[in-house]
Amino acid sequence: MREEEIEKLRGVVRDCVSKHLYSSAIFFADKVAAFTKDPADIYMQAQALFLGRHFRRAFHLLNASQIVLRDLRFRYLAAKCLEELKEWDQCLLMLGDAKVDEHGNVFDTKDSNVMYLDKDGEDREINISSAICFLRGKAYEASDNRAQSRLWYKAAVKADPLCYEALERLIENHMLTCEEEASLLSSLQIGPEDGWLLSFYSCLIKKYDKENVVEAKFRELEKESCISDPSDPSVVRTLKSNTDLLACKAEYYHQCGEYQKCFELTSVLLEKDPFHLKSTLVHLAAAMELGHSNELYLMACNLVKDYPQKALSWFAVGCYYYCIKKYDQSRRYFSKATSLDGTFPPAWIGYGNAYAAKDEGDQAMSAYRTAARLFPGCHLPTLYIGMEYMRTHSFKLAEQFFMQAKTICPSDPLVYNELGVVAYHMKEYNKAVWWFEKTLAHIPSPLSELWEPTVVNLAHAYRKLKMYNEAISQYEKALTLTTRSVSTYAGLAYTYHLQDNFTAAITYYHKALWLKSDDQFCTEMLSLALVDECSRGVDPKIEFR
C-alpha cells in the first residue's frame, strides 16, 4: 500500500476517535499498524484500544513492542492501562524508578536516555514527565500512601504548571497547608504570557488572607482580557463571568461567613451550569448554614438521580437530614458518601458532626481523627477534635488541638475564637481578650451577625478584668449585630450592676427577660438590682412638700 493511502487511513482513525467511533478506530488502526510496523502507528492502535476500554489488550500490545521501555509515551499509556485495571503495583513498576524530595523535585531517575516519540505534537502540550508524576501520585494515593502521593502531585505541578489535575488533587484533598500551597505556587515556572494562570491558581487555594488581599486577587483576574477580534479592539473577552472563577468567589464568601451572599451567587451559577459540581458543593454548604431544608431536599433528589455513584450525592442527602435534625439518618448517608469516596473531606466532617450532635463523643472523635489523618492540609478536623475536648472540659487538650489547627491554617478566625473561649474557661482573661481581638482582626468588615458571639465573649472577658467601660462598648457593639440575644442584654445589665448603675441594670434585665421570661440568672439579678436601688434611699437634697 502506498504511503498516501496509509496516511489517508491514519486520518480515518483520527476522525473515528474524534467522533467516538472507537470500534471503527480500532479496526483501521490495526490495519495501519500491520502495514507499517511503525512504532507511532502501534501507539495509535494502542490509543484506540484504550479509548475503546480494551485495557488488557492495549497493555499487551504495548508490552509486546520492543520500544515500550524506551519511549515515554508507550510506557505512560501502558501504565494508564494498568491504572484502569486497578493494578497499582504493576503501574508503578511500569513507570520506572524515580525519587522525589519533599519539595517536589524529581531526581535519581534511570530514564535519562529515553526517547519521546510524538508524530503529531502540538505547540503547547503537557510535559510527559508531569503526566507520569501525576500518574505515580494517583497510584500511591490508591495504595493509601498519601505522603508519597502528595510529593508526586507536587512534582507534577512543578514539572508543568499546566497539569491542573495534579493541583486540583492537592487542593481538593487538602494535602497541603495554607503556607505549603502558597509556597508551591511561588515556585512554579510560569511565563509572563500565562500570568492569568498564576492569578487563577492563587484564587483556587485556601482564601483566608485579609479581605483586601483576596478581593484584589479576584479583581486582578477579572481584569485579565484578550481582544477577540484584532480588527475591532473594542471586542474584549474576560473571565469576569467564568463559572470556575465565580465558584472560587462563592467559596470565599462561605469561608468569610457571608452565607447569604454565597447562596445567592451559587444559585445564579447553578442556573447557568446546573452540573458544575464545585458550585453544587458550596451551594449545599451555604444552604446548610442558612437552614434551607427545602433547597437541600431538591438538590439531594436531583444529585442522586443524576450521579448515584458520586459521594457528593449522598453527602447532599446527609446534609438534608442533618438540617432537619434527624442525625441518625444523616450519619447513615454521610457514611455511605465516605464508602463511595474515602477522600471526600466534607463527608467525613459531616459524619463526625452527626455523632457530635447526639453527644456521641467517642464516635465523633474517631471520624474527626480519620479526617485529620487523610487530609493533613485541612484544619477543620483538628478544630472539631478541640471542640469535643472543650465540651468535656478537657481545656488543656482542647488548647493543644486548637494550636495545631492554627499551625495548619494560621488565618481562620474561628480558630482564634475557640482559643479565646478556652482561655476564658481557664480563667486566663487577658489571654482571652487577646485571642478575641485577634479573631475580630481576621474578620472582613462590616461584621455579620455570625460573629456576634465573639463580640459578646470579648465583652465578658473585659468584664472579668473589671474593664467595665470597654465591656459595655463591646456589648453595645454586639447589639448592633442582633437585638435578640439574651446573653448580651444579661451581660450588659450585669456590667451596669457592677458599676452600681442600678437603673440601667434594671432596664437591661427587663429586656433580657422580655426575650426569655424564665431566665433564672436575670430573674435573680433583677430582684437584687431592685433591692439595691431601693436601699439607696431617698436623696436627702430632695424635699417633699
Side-chain angles (χ1 to χ4, degrees):
M1 186 180 280
R2 289 178 301 177
E3 182 59 36
E4 58 266 27
E5 290 174 338
I6 289 172
E7 189 54 47
K8 185 179 174 183
L9 274 182
R10 289 188 185 115
V12 169
V13 174
R14 287 192 288 268
D15 189 54
C16 288
V17 167
S18 71
K19 290 184 170 69
H20 307 287
L21 301 170
Y22 298 127
S23 291
S24 300
I26 291 166
F27 177 80
F28 289 110
D30 175 61
K31 306 309 170 281
V32 172
F35 277 124
T36 66
K37 302 290 189 295
D38 187 326
D41 292 325
I42 293 170
Y43 180 82
M44 184 173 69
Q45 182 188 358
Q47 188 80 287
L49 286 166
F50 181 87
L51 293 169
R53 304 191 66 77
H54 298 283
F55 305 120
R56 189 70 68 185
R57 188 179 165 197
F59 175 72
H60 178 75
L61 175 67
L62 291 162
N63 208 32
S65 68
Q66 298 300 309
I67 201 173
V68 68
L69 295 178
R70 292 184 293 121
D71 186 324
L72 283 179
R73 284 194 319 154
F74 273 65
R75 184 183 295 182
Y76 176 67
L77 186 54
K80 286 293 289 179
C81 293
L82 292 166
E83 177 203 2
E84 294 292 342
L85 294 166
K86 304 287 188 283
E87 296 180 8
W88 302 110
D89 291 338
Q90 291 300 312
C91 177
L92 286 167
L93 280 173
M94 178 55 65
L95 290 171
D97 292 325
K99 290 186 173 65
V100 62
D101 67 15
E102 60 183 21
H103 303 296
N105 301 312
V106 182
F107 61 98
D108 192 27
T109 176
K110 296 176 183 176
D111 295 335
S112 53
N113 297 318
V114 294
M115 300 184 297
Y116 177 36
L117 179 71
D118 195 354
K119 206 176 188 78
D120 304 304
E122 297 291 337
D123 290 337
R124 292 296 298 272
E125 58 180 28
I126 302 291
N127 187 317
I128 189 71
S129 301
S130 175
I132 287 172
C133 289
F134 175 63
L135 187 50
R136 274 199 183 98
K138 286 181 77 176
Y140 278 117
E141 188 174 9
S143 307
D144 211 23
N145 188 341
R146 293 176 66 81
Q148 276 294 307
S149 70
R150 180 171 68 97
L151 297 178
W152 283 109
Y153 288 147
K154 283 173 73 173
V157 182
K158 291 186 86 165
D160 192 337
L162 298 179
C163 187
Y164 167 75
E165 286 183 70
L167 184 69
E168 184 182 41
R169 287 270 179 163
L170 289 168
I171 293 170
E172 298 297 324
N173 291 354
H174 296 282
M175 291 184 163
L176 304 176
T177 64
C178 293
E179 289 177 356
E180 286 171 335
E181 285 181 350
S183 173
L184 177 62
L185 287 196
S186 65
S187 71
L188 298 184
Q189 302 294 317
I190 294 182
E193 71 279 6
D194 289 327
W196 68 272
L197 183 63
L198 190 58
S199 299
F200 210 118
Y201 282 176
S202 68
C203 289
L204 288 172
I205 63 173
K206 293 181 179 70
K207 294 169 277 292
Y208 285 112
D209 287 324
K210 293 280 189 184
E211 179 190 19
N212 57 340
V213 175
V214 179
E215 293 287 359
K217 283 182 185 177
F218 285 124
R219 281 196 300 274
E220 181 187 342
L221 197 49
E222 286 167 358
K223 284 177 189 171
E224 289 283 351
S225 59
C226 68
I227 298 170
S228 55
D229 183 358
S231 62
D232 184 5
S234 64
V235 181
V236 175
R237 293 176 179 173
T238 73
L239 291 170
K240 194 166 187 176
S241 58
N242 177 258
T243 310
D244 282 344
L245 180 59
L246 292 174
C248 287
K249 193 173 271 193
E251 201 172 49
Y252 169 64
Y253 289 146
H254 183 268
Q255 286 179 353
C256 291
E258 300 274 359
Y259 300 124
Q260 189 58 44
K261 278 171 80 172
C262 174
F263 184 78
E264 288 167 5
L265 180 54
T266 50
S267 298
V268 172
L269 280 175
L270 291 173
E271 273 185 37
K272 180 180 173 185
D273 185 352
F275 305 102
H276 193 270
L277 296 184
K278 185 173 182 180
S279 300
T280 302
L281 178 58
V282 182
H283 188 72
L284 289 170
M288 270 276 287
E289 296 291 348
L290 296 168
H292 292 342
S293 56
N294 288 346
E295 180 70 14
L296 288 168
Y297 178 78
L298 291 171
M299 290 289 292
C301 288
N302 289 332
L303 284 166
V304 168
K305 184 182 70 175
D306 294 329
Y307 303 105
Q309 293 306 311
K310 278 201 175 289
L312 176 65
S313 306
W314 301 104
F315 170 74
V317 179
C319 286
Y320 166 70
Y321 281 113
Y322 190 94
C323 190
I324 62 171
K325 296 184 169 52
K326 291 191 175 180
Y327 300 117
D328 289 335
Q329 288 94 324
S330 75
R331 188 174 68 233
R332 194 176 308 133
Y333 287 108
F334 287 139
S335 176
K336 180 164 184 174
T338 61
S339 65
L340 284 171
D341 183 359
T343 62
F344 186 59
W348 282 107
I349 291 170
Y351 189 47
N353 287 352
Y355 274 121
K358 298 273 284 183
D359 289 339
E360 296 180 28
D362 291 343
Q363 294 92 329
M365 285 287 212
S366 176
Y368 294 144
R369 286 196 180 100
T370 302
R373 178 176 57 81
L374 292 174
F375 317 113
C378 182
H379 69 293
L380 292 177
T382 313
L383 181 66
Y384 285 127
I385 290 171
M387 287 178 176
E388 279 300 300
Y389 276 124
M390 193 159 66
R391 191 172 62 80
T392 56
H393 303 290
S394 303
F395 298 123
K396 279 290 181 189
L397 275 171
E399 186 179 38
Q400 285 176 25
F401 279 96
F402 291 144
M403 290 303 288
Q404 193 177 325
K406 176 178 165 288
T407 304
I408 298 167
C409 186
S411 44
D412 182 4
L414 187 57
V415 176
Y416 294 105
N417 181 71
E418 296 306 312
L419 281 164
V421 173
V422 163
Y424 185 89
H425 281 300
M426 291 166 70
K427 298 184 170 29
E428 298 174 351
Y429 301 119
N430 280 311
K431 203 169 168 185
V433 165
W434 190 78
W435 285 122
F436 289 135
E437 286 180 339
K438 207 163 177 60
T439 304
L440 296 172
H442 279 85
I443 297 168
S445 54
L447 284 180
S448 66
E449 187 179 333
L450 175 76
W451 297 103
E452 184 261 351
T454 302
V455 180
V456 174
N457 288 340
L458 176 59
H460 289 337
Y462 274 132
R463 192 191 73 231
K464 288 287 187 180
L465 292 168
K466 300 186 178 179
M467 298 170 68
Y468 298 130
N469 291 332
E470 288 84 351
I472 288 167
S473 172
Q474 292 301 322
Y475 283 128
E476 288 173 345
K477 184 177 177 182
L479 289 173
T480 64
L481 300 175
T482 177
T483 57
R484 306 211 41 94
S485 172
V486 175
S487 64
T488 307
Y489 283 120
L492 187 54
Y494 188 51
T495 308
Y496 277 125
H497 199 157
L498 292 169
Q499 283 188 313
D500 293 337
N501 186 342
F502 304 122
T503 306
I506 290 165
T507 302
Y508 284 107
Y509 284 135
H510 275 301
K511 288 186 177 182
L513 288 166
W514 182 76
L515 290 171
K516 188 182 178 186
S517 58
D518 60 345
D519 187 273
Q520 188 177 353
F521 173 80
C522 289
T523 304
E524 290 175 2
M525 294 309 296
L526 175 60
S527 300
L528 289 173
L530 289 167
V531 169
D532 289 338
E533 177 80 336
C534 294
S535 67
R536 275 183 170 180
V538 180
D539 191 327
K541 294 180 182 176
I542 297 176
E543 292 184 8
F544 291 95
R545 296 176 186 273

